[in-house]
Amino acid sequence: MTIKALHHVQLAAPAGSEASLREFYAGVLGLREVPKPPELARRGGVWFRGEGVEIHLGVEEGFRPARKAHPAFLVDDLDAYADRFPGARPDHLFPGYRRIYVSDPVGNRIELLQAV
C-alpha cells in the first residue's frame, strides 16, 4: 500500500468569488481552468490545473482565508512572478530554493518557489 502522488489541493473561498479567482489563478499564475463535474459545479467554486499541479477552490460558508496552511508551487522564473506582486521580495530561508509568499484574491496564502 503506497501513496503514489498528490492529486490536488483544495482551498476554500467565499460564494461569488469565482471571477476574481479565475483572474488570479489563470490570469496571474497561468493555470488553466478545469471544468467541474455538473453535480459539483452546482456548489460553486472553480478548479485549475497546470503541469503536475491541480488546485480546487470550493465555496465555504463562513469562509476564513488560509493564512498559514498553503500550497507551494514550483516555478521556473520566480522573478517574473515577483514582478507581478508589488512588495514581494524573494527570500532564501528554505535551503535550495528562493521563494515568495502572495495572497490570492480572497486572502489565501500561496507560496511560489524556485530551485537555486
Side-chain angles (χ1 to χ4, degrees):
M1 184 167 65
T2 305
I3 294 175
K4 298 188 301 185
L6 178 64
H7 184 275
H8 70 271
V9 171
Q10 171 132 354
L11 294 176
S17 63
E18 290 86 354
S20 64
L21 295 169
R22 285 181 179 101
E23 288 177 19
F24 179 79
Y25 287 93
V28 176
L29 296 185
L31 300 173
R32 67 185 181 285
E33 186 173 350
V34 178
K36 293 179 70 172
E39 185 63 31
L40 298 177
R42 289 193 254 300
R43 300 178 187 175
V46 63
W47 294 358
F48 299 94
R49 186 177 294 151
E51 187 178 324
V53 63
E54 188 162 327
I55 187 159
H56 297 178
L57 291 117
V59 170
E60 181 176 66
E61 188 176 321
F63 166 75
R64 289 182 32 204
R67 302 222 184 259
K68 184 71 174 173
H70 62 277
F73 298 122
L74 287 171
V75 301
D76 60 2
D77 189 347
L78 186 65
D79 293 324
Y81 283 100
D83 288 345
R84 296 179 180 195
F85 299 96
R89 301 287 179 261
D91 73 35
H92 296 83
L93 300 176
F94 190 164
Y97 296 91
R98 294 173 58 235
R99 66 185 181 168
I100 59 173
Y101 287 100
V102 300
S103 294
D104 75 7
V106 299
N108 290 312
R109 186 180 194 187
I110 307 294
E111 182 177 0
L112 303 173
L113 62 154
Q114 180 179 3
V116 293

